[in-house]
């Protein structure tokens, strides 16, 4: 009752939930899974010990909630589960509601695959009708091989999921995301701002395909080259940071 009355006002003024993390019985990963997280996921390595426990709990919860399905001979290993789950959790780590209700499965192919949804070949996709997120494992891994090229398939596709969920749900984190997203798009519509974005060549041209691709691309940039993003577009950077309640 208290939260339902106070939190909307708090979120309006401060652009964040009253609290983000509260886990009376935090989940644990197995030792092999934790070793993968510790050795292969840079974001986790930079967290404080307390935040690492929260991150581990969320990754374990993600793996518990969503079944993973390998296609075309791909075997689902702990590495597949940990890296995909960690990418989603990195994106939503500043949100209290960190799991997605609009997907119920993870599908992974070894490489580029044919999708019947639009009669084309893909590296990855979010399919809301199937309630699935789909990846080429080869291209997913490529997103982590170079950490500052602003190309990360996992971040890109999970950004589509987050965007879609933010437009449908009414919890505090989703509402903050949706409201801030609308503010970003209003700013982008201004001719001077749009012109500066184009001329900067910072965001790849694919970002301007439509509003869905724009938000996915800027979230890739936010995580991969934050220093440059903040230097070139400080106001937009702060909006994105607020949108996902990201703590630097």
């Amino acid at each position: 009752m208290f939260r339902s009355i106070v939190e909307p006002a708090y979120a309006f003024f401060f652009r964040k939930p009253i609290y983000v993390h509260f886990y009376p019985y935090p989940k644990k990963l197995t030792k092999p899974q934790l070793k993968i997280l510790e050795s292969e996921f840079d974001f986790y390595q930079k967290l404080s010990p307390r935040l690492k426990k929260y991150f581990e709990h969320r990754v374990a919860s993600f793996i518990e909630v969503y079944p993973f399905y390998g296609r075309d001979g791909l075997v689902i290993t702990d590495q597949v589960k940990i890296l995909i789950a960690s990418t989603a959790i990195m994106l939503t780590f500043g949100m209290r509601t960190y799991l997605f209700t609009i997907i119920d499965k993870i599908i992974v192919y070894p490489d580029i695959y044919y999708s019947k949804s639009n009669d084309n070949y893909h590296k990855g996709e979010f399919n809301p009708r199937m309630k699935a997120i789909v990846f080429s494992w080869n291209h997913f891994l490529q997103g982590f091989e170079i950490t500052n090229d602003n190309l990360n398939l996992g971040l890109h596709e999970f950004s589509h999921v987050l965007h879609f969920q933010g437009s449908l749900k009414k919890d505090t984190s989703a509402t903050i995301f949706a409201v801030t997203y609308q503010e970003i798009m209003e700013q982008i519509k201004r001719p001077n701002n749009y012109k500066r974005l184009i001329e900067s060549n910072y965001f790849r041209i694919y970002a301007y395909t439509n509003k869905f691709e724009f938000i996915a691309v800027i979230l890739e940039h936010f995580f991969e080259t934050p220093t440059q993003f903040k230097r070139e577009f400080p106001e937009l950077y702060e909006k994105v940071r607020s949108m996902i309640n990201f703590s630097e």
Side-chain angles (χ1 to χ4, degrees), residues 30-48:
T30 66
K31 287 184 178 180
Q33 289 174 332
L34 187 57
K35 186 175 181 181
I36 293 168
L37 184 58
E38 290 173 337
S39 62
E40 298 187 36
F41 206 76
D42 288 348
F43 181 86
Y44 174 83
Q45 295 167 7
K46 297 173 184 176
L47 296 175
S48 68

Side-chain angles (χ1 to χ4, degrees), residues 21 61 73 78 80 90 110 114 118 140 153 171 194 215 225 241:
H21 302 286
S61 298
D78 276 343
V80 173
M90 176 173 67
Y114 176 76
N118 63 355
F140 182 93
L153 178 66
D171 63 87
Y194 187 76
I215 206 68
T225 55
R241 189 191 63 77

Side-chain angles (χ1 to χ4, degrees), residues 120-237:
N120 210 338
Y121 286 90
H122 286 265
K123 298 175 183 177
E125 66 182 307
F126 160 50
N127 189 321
R129 294 183 67 181
M130 289 179 57
K131 298 192 74 174
I133 190 165
V134 190
F135 295 112
S136 151
W137 182 237
N138 179 37
H139 291 88
F140 182 93
L141 287 177
Q142 286 179 17
F144 289 96
E145 287 175 0
I146 303 174
T147 59
N148 62 353
D149 63 352
N150 297 317
L151 295 169
N152 187 302
L153 178 66
L155 270 174
H156 190 95
E157 297 305 332
F158 274 120
S159 293
H160 285 317
V161 178
L162 181 61
H163 182 191
F164 198 78
Q165 176 142 320
S167 68
L168 296 177
K169 299 300 177 181
K170 300 301 180 185
D171 63 87
T172 300
S173 292
T175 300
I176 292 170
F177 183 96
V179 169
T180 313
Y181 164 75
Q182 289 299 329
E183 291 175 351
I184 289 172
M185 298 314 296
E186 286 300 319
Q187 288 184 0
I188 300 310
K189 288 177 183 177
R190 297 172 186 170
N192 287 343
N193 291 340
Y194 187 76
K195 183 173 182 289
R196 182 164 175 262
L197 284 169
I198 295 290
E199 290 179 347
S200 74
N201 289 321
Y202 175 54
F203 300 110
R204 64 185 184 272
I205 196 67
Y206 187 63
Y208 308 104
T209 304
N210 55 53
K211 62 183 181 179
F212 305 106
E213 297 304 339
F214 182 78
I215 206 68
V217 170
I218 67 171
L219 280 166
E220 285 178 276
H221 284 64
F222 182 85
F223 282 98
E224 295 240 323
T225 55
T227 301
Q228 184 180 359
F229 193 158
K230 193 172 185 178
R231 182 176 64 248
E232 296 205 24
F233 298 99
E235 292 182 8
L236 179 57
Y237 178 90

Side-chain angles (χ1 to χ4, degrees), residues 13-150:
F13 285 106
F14 297 103
R15 286 295 170 97
K16 60 182 179 180
I18 289 177
Y19 69 91
V20 174
H21 302 286
F22 177 68
Y23 317 112
Y25 305 101
K27 293 181 171 62
K28 299 285 187 181
L29 295 168
T30 66
K31 287 184 178 180
Q33 289 174 332
L34 187 57
K35 186 175 181 181
I36 293 168
L37 184 58
E38 290 173 337
S39 62
E40 298 187 36
F41 206 76
D42 288 348
F43 181 86
Y44 174 83
Q45 295 167 7
K46 297 173 184 176
L47 296 175
S48 68
R50 176 175 59 88
L51 292 178
K52 283 181 177 179
K53 291 180 181 179
Y54 296 159
F55 195 91
E56 180 184 354
H57 166 82
R58 289 187 168 198
V59 169
S61 298
F62 186 101
I63 291 171
E64 184 178 282
V65 168
Y66 303 110
F68 287 71
Y69 300 100
R71 296 287 188 264
D72 291 351
L74 183 127
V75 176
I76 299 296
T77 63
D78 276 343
Q79 185 194 34
V80 173
K81 291 181 179 181
I82 292 296
L83 293 186
I84 290 177
S86 295
T87 302
I89 296 306
M90 176 173 67
L91 188 60
T92 62
F93 198 51
M95 301 177 171
R96 186 165 64 234
T97 303
Y98 61 94
L99 297 177
F100 307 109
T101 57
I102 58 171
I103 61 170
D104 60 14
K105 66 182 75 69
I106 317 292
I107 299 172
V108 190
Y109 288 83
D111 212 320
I112 290 174
Y113 61 91
Y114 176 76
S115 174
K116 294 181 180 179
S117 63
N118 63 355
D119 193 30
N120 210 338
Y121 286 90
H122 286 265
K123 298 175 183 177
E125 66 182 307
F126 160 50
N127 189 321
R129 294 183 67 181
M130 289 179 57
K131 298 192 74 174
I133 190 165
V134 190
F135 295 112
S136 151
W137 182 237
N138 179 37
H139 291 88
F140 182 93
L141 287 177
Q142 286 179 17
F144 289 96
E145 287 175 0
I146 303 174
T147 59
N148 62 353
D149 63 352
N150 297 317

